[in-house]
Amino acid sequence: MSHPLIAIVGRPNVGKSTFFNKVIGKKISITEDKPGVTRDRLYADSEWRGKAFSIVDTGGIEMRSEDVMWKEIKKQAEVAIDTAHVILFFVDGREGLTSSDYDVADMLRKSKKPVILVVNKIDDYSEDKIFEFYSLGLGEPYAVSAEHSTGIGDVLDEAVSWFEKGETSEDDSLKIAVVGKPNAGKSSLVNKLLGFERTIVTNIAGTTRDAIDTALEYNGKKYTIIDTAGIRKKSRVEDEIEYYSQLRAYDAVHRADVCLLVVDSAEGLTEQDTKIIGYVHEQGKPSLIVMNKWDLIEKDTNTINKFEAKLREDLKFMDYFKSVYISAKTGQRTEKLFTFIDEVYSHSHFRVPTGTLNDLISDTVRANEPPSYNGRRLKVYYSSQVAVAPPTFVLKVNSTDLMHFSYERFLENTIRKNFDFSGTPIRILVRENGEQ
């Protein structure tokens, strides 16, 4: 389930990133960090007063600049605003109001989203320091010092209060994000999937500019297919996924229950494909590797085995992957996709009974004792599954320092051998006995 999104916006150097870093710091319960959309961390999942949310930091907005870079940053910020439930508009309390602040305020008013005005760098509060900011017409300013962590709680209290106000009826459809490089055949696949016999087809404007949500019903089940723009390399920075495309893809993946990772079979798995697949893996999403354009491949009896071997080599970090070979153009095997989608989704929601899990881990540790370090050996006292999507397991041990990553991987493989978690990542959290 996707969380409400808080976007932090404002002109450059008003302290947005400092606030972002404070919010995702240890004083607030972090549920899961997202990999950086830029080289600096941009997205994170966090929690305040029992309410989970995602938060996004954006580049500084210069509305009047004709510079290509500033135009791109403005475009990126607009995407964040489009997808946000609540917007935190940051201004600089030391420098005071600027024409850029008025420009950004005008843009935010047009968004029709809840906007919370945050006056940063107020180290010693007095009402006269924030009085001028009322002229922005965005309601009562909140005085904070992100650097000194003052006022942050008041801002978050106000932000999370908007979540319930903005809630709509619960969508119980299974959401499928179709992602991949340009020209891999994503749109052809979406069109083919939507061409099946169905009882409901409703086009809905996507929450991002280049993602379209289409609802359908197939075999009595409700689905929403999210078609995304191709994720490109950023041409000026070698091996870096284009910022703007990844921002759009982030929202699609974040909202999805299952991701279809579309690869051009004729081109083979590229470094860019691997990055996109790795991104989905890090989000904990179940997925299918969809090898498209299979009709263009010259085949013999061993062709699929060769492709599978190459995938196993290139995707060692997610050896649980599940692949399907199709042709969106001819329709070859596309009718099987919904079956596979349902399958990996069910795997991501499977729960192992606590007693069964404890017996498995105990027997495994007895039969394959972990190595000792300085005369001490790892002991696993208790195991339990604490979450699904992705399946998450907690192991209570005598010392987390004694859990070597290779032994943790061994235990993960043991769980996978005994229960079918193909197509979905699983998480193992190691905690010392008595630790929550």
Side-chain angles (χ1 to χ4, degrees):
M1 181 181 293
S2 62
H3 297 149
L5 178 64
I6 299 173
I8 308 172
V9 302
R11 59 185 175 83
N13 303 316
V14 293
K16 298 185 299 296
S17 295
T18 304
F19 180 88
F20 175 85
N21 290 334
K22 292 287 186 179
V23 168
I24 66 171
K26 292 181 180 177
K27 290 184 179 178
I28 296 176
S29 173
I30 300 172
T31 55
E32 184 182 0
D33 279 352
K34 302 298 178 190
V37 175
T38 60
R39 278 172 287 179
D40 295 317
R41 183 162 47 185
L42 184 68
Y43 272 95
D45 281 355
S46 190
E47 185 179 85
W48 180 252
R49 298 196 186 281
K51 294 183 179 179
F53 61 89
S54 300
I55 188 164
V56 56
D57 187 15
T58 64
I61 304 173
E62 288 284 8
M63 298 289 290
R64 302 185 186 188
S65 175
E66 293 301 314
D67 183 273
V68 173
M69 181 188 74
W70 288 116
K71 284 185 175 181
E72 183 65 18
I73 288 174
K74 176 175 174 284
K75 192 187 298 181
Q76 295 157 7
E78 287 172 344
V79 174
I81 292 166
D82 284 347
T83 60
H85 292 75
V86 181
I87 298 162
L88 305 185
F89 174 29
F90 266 63
V91 292
D92 189 326
R94 289 181 197 156
E95 188 176 340
L97 270 174
T98 69
S99 59
S100 291
D101 292 327
Y102 283 104
D103 291 340
V104 177
D106 288 340
M107 180 179 76
L108 295 179
R109 260 189 293 273
K110 293 173 185 175
S111 74
K112 307 296 185 185
K113 300 287 181 74
V115 177
I116 300 169
L117 178 59
V118 182
V119 185
N120 193 26
K121 305 182 185 178
I122 303 293
D123 299 334
D124 298 304
Y125 175 78
S126 65
E127 195 166 318
D128 62 308
K129 291 181 179 179
I130 64 169
F131 183 77
E132 65 175 320
F133 294 99
Y134 281 95
S135 66
L136 289 170
L138 292 172
E140 182 179 352
Y142 282 77
V144 308
S145 172
E147 185 178 359
H148 296 108
S149 302
T150 58
I152 292 176
D154 292 337
V155 171
L156 292 178
D157 282 345
E158 176 66 14
V160 301
S161 74
W162 283 96
F163 294 167
E164 287 158 10
K165 299 174 190 176
E167 281 180 357
T168 56
S169 58
E170 187 69 21
D171 180 3
D172 60 353
S173 66
L174 194 155
K175 295 166 190 63
I176 306 161
V178 183
V179 297
K181 293 192 313 179
N183 304 315
K186 297 183 301 300
S187 293
S188 297
L189 175 58
V190 168
N191 290 336
K192 184 63 69 174
L193 294 176
L194 294 176
F196 291 145
E197 184 179 345
R198 57 198 182 275
T199 57
I200 301 172
V201 176
T202 310
N203 285 327
I204 307 163
T207 56
T208 57
R209 299 183 169 208
D210 294 283
I212 300 296
D213 292 14
T214 307
L216 75 151
E217 189 169 309
Y218 179 69
N219 280 348
K221 294 184 179 179
K222 294 179 181 179
Y223 300 89
T224 298
I225 297 180
I226 310 169
D227 187 12
T228 66
I231 304 175
R232 306 174 184 274
K233 273 188 181 180
K234 190 173 181 180
S235 58
R236 286 169 295 184
V237 183
E238 188 177 356
D239 296 335
E240 184 177 332
I241 295 179
E242 183 187 16
Y243 181 99
Y244 186 40
S245 292
Q246 189 171 359
L247 192 58
R248 296 187 298 249
Y250 170 86
D251 181 69
V253 171
H254 191 59
R255 290 188 290 129
D257 298 306
V258 175
C259 294
L260 301 186
L261 307 164
V262 184
V263 177
D264 183 339
S265 296
E267 186 178 0
L269 196 71
T270 66
E271 184 179 357
Q272 182 71 351
D273 289 317
T274 303
K275 285 185 177 181
I276 295 167
I277 292 168
Y279 178 77
V280 172
H281 163 74
E282 288 170 0
Q283 306 314 302
K285 300 292 184 176
S287 61
L288 287 171
I289 310 296
V290 180
M291 302 298 289
N292 192 25
K293 305 185 183 180
W294 193 238
D295 55 309
L296 302 180
I297 302 298
E298 291 187 17
K299 305 173 190 66
D300 58 34
T301 55
N302 204 35
T303 304
I304 282 188
N305 292 336
K306 290 177 182 176
F307 271 76
E308 283 291 288
K310 183 69 165 60
L311 287 177
R312 282 194 297 273
E313 177 64 27
D314 293 339
L315 301 178
K316 286 181 179 176
F317 61 90
M318 53 176 289
D319 53 7
Y320 60 82
F321 75 84
K322 194 171 185 66
S323 57
V324 58
Y325 294 78
I326 71 158
S327 169
K329 183 178 179 181
T330 68
Q332 181 185 14
R333 277 193 284 275
T334 52
E335 76 282 353
K336 295 183 178 180
L337 280 175
F338 282 109
T339 300
F340 291 135
I341 288 165
D342 291 341
E343 188 177 299
V344 298
Y345 177 77
S346 69
H347 292 170
S348 74
H349 284 74
F350 180 73
R351 283 188 179 273
V352 180
T354 301
T356 304
L357 180 67
N358 273 289
D359 289 345
L360 173 64
I361 297 298
S362 298
D363 292 346
T364 301
V365 172
R366 269 196 302 270
N368 302 272
E369 283 196 333
S372 63
Y373 296 94
N374 298 322
R376 301 177 66 210
R377 194 182 301 276
L378 177 76
K379 294 180 181 179
V380 181
Y381 297 118
Y382 181 76
S383 313
S384 65
Q385 183 176 350
V386 296
V388 296
T392 303
F393 301 89
V394 169
L395 305 181
K396 291 296 184 75
V397 302
N398 56 333
S399 172
T400 55
D401 293 338
L402 297 175
M403 176 65 85
H404 193 270
F405 75 90
S406 61
Y407 196 76
E408 184 178 323
R409 185 64 184 268
F410 165 69
L411 292 178
E412 177 182 335
N413 289 337
T414 299
I415 293 172
R416 287 189 178 278
K417 285 176 184 175
N418 285 269
F419 307 100
D420 190 354
F421 286 113
S422 58
T424 182
I426 66 176
R427 301 277 187 261
I428 293 182
L429 308 176
V430 184
R431 301 281 186 264
E432 290 189 5
N433 201 29
E435 180 185 351
Q436 294 298 313

